[in-house]
Amino acid sequence: LFLAAPPKEPVLMCRSNNYPKGFYCSWHLPTPTYIPNIFNISVIHGTREMVCEKDAFPKNRCHIRYLQLFSTVKYKVTLTVTNALGKNSTSLTFDEFAIVKPDPPESVVAKPVPSNPRRLEVSWQNPSSWPDPESFPLKFFLRYRPLILDQWQHVELSDGTSHTITDAYAGKEYIIQVAAKDNDIGTWSDWSVAVHATPWTEEPKHLTTEAQLTETTSSSTSSFMPPPTTKICDKGAVVGSGAVAVCWTAGLVVAAYGVLFI
Amino acid sequence: GDSWGIFTFLCAALCQLPALPALNCTEELGTSQSIQKTYDLTRYLEHQLRTLAGTYLNYLGPPFNEPDFNPPRLARAERVPSATVDLDLWRGLTDNARLAANYRAYSRLLCYLRALDGQAATADLRHRLGHFCSSLQGLVLSIAGVMSSLGYPLPVGPVGPPTGPPSSLVVAPNDFLKKMDDFWLLKELQTWLWRSAKDFNRLKKKVPPAVVTLRLEARGF
């Protein structure tokens, strides 16, 4: 026997995974009410009220198309939930640029490179939900580690959908993931599905030398935070020659340690 | 009337950018590199602006420094061309139009920022604004350089807003409205910097180095 309840404050999330087409909002109740609830969503942009079209699936989701790009005025989304016992609401206010978060890269493939015991070739594709990678290019973040170790290595790539790892430990199975982000705005996607690969070996797997392993495990750990955490430097960091290093991210520290390993 | 009438007049009079010196660096800097440099500058400025805007909005005080502050746009004359644009229109812009829009916008924005700098109450703000204005001027010149190397004429005429007889200063400016103007100026600047990254991304793709060489030869450079 369950007790019917008025709705608690709903949880609302809005995101643009298909910039510049538009964005979607999805919601849910933190605790069940055990009776039917009606959700009403309103989107206001400046003085204009926009219609958020409900999706057939999944439920509790609606999408909206941008009428204009590069807007200075924020969007305000208000969600109201009502049932027989009461109502509750929540709202979000955001800039067009702040909610951009692509879906993870797709079709991640990692392969050994023949005759190269320390290399792995990784390739992937832009998420299919991203409508215009030509005009709105994505940049990528690759992370990889041998299964036997906990510490990830990271590479940020501003161009292209492939990368060759050149410092893999011979004969060790690796786990690899990729994340995507609009080149200039928004936040990193979630990590892609993980792929596994082992570098080419001439014979059946041989043990890595004790020296290699101790060198790895005794290295000091840098305080690296995974890219999906929004960092002020992500938006400002410029990749490419002649770029001005405007900030120092922990990722650069790890890259420096990575260089020491090679 | 308000003091903004004075400022707009002053901007029109003072903000005539000097004629661009002949670019002899096209031999060293291909156009695609100039575009890349301009793109990098917009990213740098966007980052700088975050600190500057944070400081300035704190100086203005609440509600301007509240993160959810979302005021309606008052029906005052648009001082700066807005970055906001219809998607298809933006996509269809010619390279010339795209560059010219950026050039005009930043020239105007630079002008207004300089005016802001002139009135800033604290030395810290003046220092920050001054530094930002220098960088912004660098961006304007960089855009002009790209336009010049592609053979596009710089937008003519005063880069300030349309002139008119300066309004009298008899009525003291409304302090709140003045702060609102400052708020929108910074917002417009921020949005333009976001947009420019996309504009220059597009230009980067459309101007490969090989094409530039051909164009230069055709013009007998």
Side-chain angles (χ1 to χ4, degrees), chain A residues 97 132 135 182 184 235, chain B residues 39 43 85 91 194 198 202:
Chain A
F97 303 98
D132 190 358
S135 298
D182 176 273
D184 312 295
K235 297 184 196 180
Chain B
Y39 169 85
R43 306 296 290 123
V85 68
R91 260 202 248 270
W194 276 326
K198 299 307 182 200
R202 237 179 130 78

Side-chain angles (χ1 to χ4, degrees), chain A residues 102-106 108 122-127 137-145 152-163 165 175-183 187-195 222-231 233-235 237-239 249-256:
Chain A
D103 287 328
E106 293 171 7
V108 184
V122 190
S123 66
W124 58 89
Q125 279 168 16
N126 289 322
L138 293 169
K139 62 181 175 182
F140 301 97
F141 217 100
L142 192 98
R143 75 174 181 179
Y144 58 98
R145 64 173 172 87
W152 294 96
Q153 277 173 274
H154 297 83
V155 183
E156 182 168 327
L157 302 152
S158 59
D159 235 325
T161 53
S162 64
H163 175 73
I165 296 166
I175 179 170
I176 299 151
Q177 288 178 296
V178 193
K181 181 181 169 299
D182 176 273
N183 218 26
T187 55
W188 287 98
S189 71
D190 292 338
W191 290 108
S192 69
V193 167
V195 294
S222 62
S223 54
F224 181 79
M225 291 195 291
T229 308
T230 307
K231 291 170 75 75
C233 298
D234 264 343
K235 297 184 196 180
V238 181
V239 182
T249 66
L252 286 171
V253 175
V254 175

Side-chain angles (χ1 to χ4, degrees), chain B:
Chain B
D2 56 26
S3 63
W4 276 108
I6 293 283
F7 282 124
T8 54
F9 176 76
L10 283 173
C11 275
L14 299 172
C15 292
Q16 313 267 355
L17 284 184
L20 192 75
L23 260 188
N24 61 358
C25 55
T26 44
E27 291 113 60
E28 302 113 60
L29 255 191
T31 301
S32 67
Q33 275 179 283
S34 296
I35 294 174
Q36 177 67 45
K37 185 186 130 205
T38 313
Y39 169 85
D40 292 343
L41 265 171
T42 67
R43 306 296 290 123
Y44 173 66
L45 279 164
E46 195 245 310
H47 190 267
Q48 253 200 307
L49 180 61
R50 276 185 239 179
T51 321
L52 174 65
T55 311
Y56 198 85
L57 292 175
N58 277 331
Y59 161 69
L60 293 181
F64 301 99
N65 59 348
E66 282 157 22
D68 278 355
F69 183 50
N70 187 26
R73 207 73 195 253
L74 299 174
R76 289 159 69 72
E78 290 275 319
R79 297 166 304 142
V80 180
S82 181
T84 312
V85 68
D86 170 78
L87 175 59
D88 290 324
L89 209 116
W90 178 80
R91 260 202 248 270
L93 286 173
T94 61
D95 293 347
N96 189 4
R98 197 177 293 280
L99 285 161
N102 274 266
Y103 181 82
R104 277 195 207 96
Y106 289 117
S107 304
R108 202 83 80 78
L109 285 160
L110 176 61
C111 209
Y112 284 115
L113 268 182
R114 279 178 173 152
L116 220 66
D117 186 10
Q119 331 158 269
T122 74
D124 176 55
L125 268 179
R126 277 197 297 279
H127 172 76
R128 287 176 193 271
L129 280 165
H131 181 50
F132 192 88
C133 282
S134 302
S135 306
L136 189 55
Q137 176 165 44
L139 175 61
V140 175
L141 290 173
S142 195
I143 298 171
V146 174
M147 292 187 81
S148 174
S149 75
L150 287 173
Y152 300 134
L154 289 182
V156 290
V159 285
T163 61
S167 325
S168 72
L169 273 176
V170 173
V171 180
N174 177 319
D175 194 45
F176 183 79
L177 284 180
K178 166 73 175 67
K179 289 183 178 180
M180 279 294 270
D181 281 343
D182 293 353
F183 172 82
W184 283 118
L185 175 65
L186 292 172
K187 205 79 181 69
E188 209 57 81
L189 179 56
Q190 179 186 53
T191 312
W192 261 107
L193 288 168
W194 276 326
R195 170 174 157 176
S196 294
K198 299 307 182 200
D199 279 324
F200 285 98
N201 255 331
R202 237 179 130 78
L203 286 163
K204 256 195 279 186
K205 302 259 157 100
K206 295 178 80 186
V207 187
V211 174
V212 172
T213 316
L214 285 170
R215 279 207 197 146
L216 290 174
E217 282 166 2
R219 290 178 195 281
F221 273 87

Side-chain angles (χ1 to χ4, degrees), chain A residues 74-165:
Chain A
K74 291 187 179 189
Y75 291 84
K76 182 171 180 180
V77 180
T78 308
L79 175 74
T80 315
V81 53
T82 316
N83 69 16
L85 295 177
K87 69 195 266 187
N88 213 323
S89 72
T90 187
S91 68
L92 282 178
T93 308
F94 52 82
D95 280 312
E96 175 187 314
F97 303 98
I99 58 163
V100 176
K101 177 180 171 178
D103 287 328
E106 293 171 7
S107 311
V108 184
V109 172
K111 293 190 292 210
V113 181
S115 308
N116 282 276
R118 301 203 67 191
R119 288 185 179 223
L120 285 169
E121 217 169 68
V122 190
S123 66
W124 58 89
Q125 279 168 16
N126 289 322
S128 49
S129 51
W130 195 254
D132 190 358
E134 274 295 304
S135 298
F136 297 85
L138 293 169
K139 62 181 175 182
F140 301 97
F141 217 100
L142 192 98
R143 75 174 181 179
Y144 58 98
R145 64 173 172 87
L147 284 182
I148 54 172
L149 295 177
D150 287 330
Q151 194 174 343
W152 294 96
Q153 277 173 274
H154 297 83
V155 183
E156 182 168 327
L157 302 152
S158 59
D159 235 325
T161 53
S162 64
H163 175 73
T164 305
I165 296 166

